[in-house]
Amino acid sequence: STPGANAGDPALVSRGAEVYDANCAVCHGVNLEGQAGWRRRNADGTFPAPPHDANGHTWHHPDDYLFEYTRRGGAAVVPKGFLSNMPAFADALSDTEIWAALAYIKSRWPDAIRTRQARLNRSGG
């Protein structure tokens, strides 16, 4: 069974912080702040890396979607016509490491945001 993105599991969150720092922070920021101008398209039609803190839209998606987006890469998951630079991490990270990174990200959200995102998980998105 997968650990899921349990932000209440201190060991998982700690592992996730390591995974995030090593694999995600380079684009999404050390403090989950994202890249400057993340709402404006780049010249190639893609967007800069969005923040994963409460200012972004990561929490608008259920865990399963975030997991697949990370594992398979943005291009495999986003709607037709949307261009994503998000690489696939299936070959670089184990499923458990991906869940851990997501748990870490969620652990940084305010309680109200976590509660809203948990509702998405229960309703299936």
Side-chain angles (χ1 to χ4, degrees):
S1 87
T2 62
N6 182 358
D9 178 337
L12 191 66
V13 169
S14 176
R15 179 69 185 115
E18 296 168 3
V19 172
Y20 181 91
D21 288 346
N23 298 278
C24 315
V26 65
C27 292
H28 291 283
V30 174
N31 293 309
L32 288 76
E33 71 274 16
Q35 292 175 336
W38 65 273
R39 288 185 174 98
R40 288 189 304 278
R41 284 187 195 273
N42 295 315
D44 66 0
T46 62
F47 286 88
H52 288 316
D53 61 13
N55 297 313
H57 56 76
T58 307
W59 58 271
H60 294 209
H61 302 290
D63 289 355
D64 288 345
Y65 178 85
L66 298 173
F67 176 82
E68 289 300 321
Y69 201 102
T70 307
R71 190 172 176 282
R72 295 170 50 211
V77 179
V78 295
K80 188 169 171 47
F82 186 92
L83 300 176
S84 173
N85 276 329
M86 175 70 178
F89 281 90
D91 294 336
L93 299 173
S94 70
D95 287 0
T96 301
E97 287 171 321
I98 294 171
W99 284 119
L102 294 172
Y104 167 69
I105 289 167
K106 289 171 57 171
S107 78
R108 303 278 309 269
W109 296 342
D111 288 344
I113 296 285
R114 253 197 269 180
T115 299
R116 285 177 67 177
Q117 197 263 346
R119 272 190 225 121
L120 287 178
N121 289 327
R122 288 193 298 275
S123 70

